[in-house]
Amino acid sequence: MKIKDYNRLLTLQLGELLAETGFKVRKTSCLYRKVNRCVQYLFVYFKKDKYSSEESYTLSCSLAFQYVRADKLVCHFCNYFDAPRWATGFIPFINVIPGHDVMWEKYCPDLSIEDYAEFIAQDFIKYSSSFYDKFNSLEKLEAYFDLYPDGDENEEFHFMQRDDFSNGRACLIAAVLFILKRWDKLKSFLDTNKKLTEDEKKRILEYMEEYRKPKTINRVKW
């Protein structure tokens, strides 16, 4: 079989095994569920081991969450509207498993996809909630940013960032505060944050003022 066939079969098999958790297949290599305003993802896809003497594959497996409105605001605050945003934040699944000890990092076709998917599903059901539950509401994301306003090497998720979003993390914090209508807190954040550019701060303040006006004609609707 081709690698795309393995990816398709693994996705379908995980869709069956994880149905009780609320996850369902969106497309090949992507499963998702909705929890309030949060969309949670499981991404799985094989990469062929180029230098192996036998047919083998390495599995890339990630947990992710997305707040669509927050992502749209980040694009607006960063003045970049065409950025692909497939998740607000993600983490390699293996990072949430104690000891990073798994049985599914490598796959060889002598093992059935059904049995292989069982290994992934068992670990997913056991360990994934430690990540998903921590970021399943904007209030929890706000609390996380209160503890780690600047981020560090021990960040508990990776922000979906590209060169266009050099200050994307700070813009995400502003977006979360904006959606939750923490106006005073947002103003204080803009006053003290040293990573946002003056243009970005001005754009955020102008958008906040425009949003708070009653019945403005040009107000953006979400």
Side-chain angles (χ1 to χ4, degrees), residues 1 4 11 22 31 44 47 71 135 152 198 200:
M1 286 195 297
K4 66 178 182 179
T11 304
L31 297 94
V44 288
K47 295 181 288 186
D71 286 346
F135 302 110
D152 56 29
E198 290 304 313
E200 287 167 340

Side-chain angles (χ1 to χ4, degrees), residues 1-11 14 28-29 43-49 56-61 104-109 111-113 116-117 120:
M1 286 195 297
K2 296 181 179 180
I3 192 169
K4 66 178 182 179
D5 297 317
Y6 285 122
N7 283 329
R8 180 178 58 82
L9 290 174
L10 177 61
T11 304
L14 286 172
T28 297
S29 296
F43 296 105
V44 288
Y45 62 91
F46 290 114
K47 295 181 288 186
K48 188 173 178 58
D49 295 332
S56 64
Y57 303 87
T58 297
L59 182 71
S60 177
C61 186
W104 43 259
E105 191 171 11
K106 296 284 186 180
Y107 174 71
C108 294
L111 177 68
S112 72
I113 281 288
Y116 180 73
I120 301 171

Side-chain angles (χ1 to χ4, degrees), residues 41 43 62-66 71 83-90 160:
Y41 293 104
F43 296 105
S62 299
L63 312 180
F65 63 90
Q66 183 176 39
D71 286 346
R85 303 285 296 156
W86 55 265
T88 304
F90 78 99
M160 289 306 304

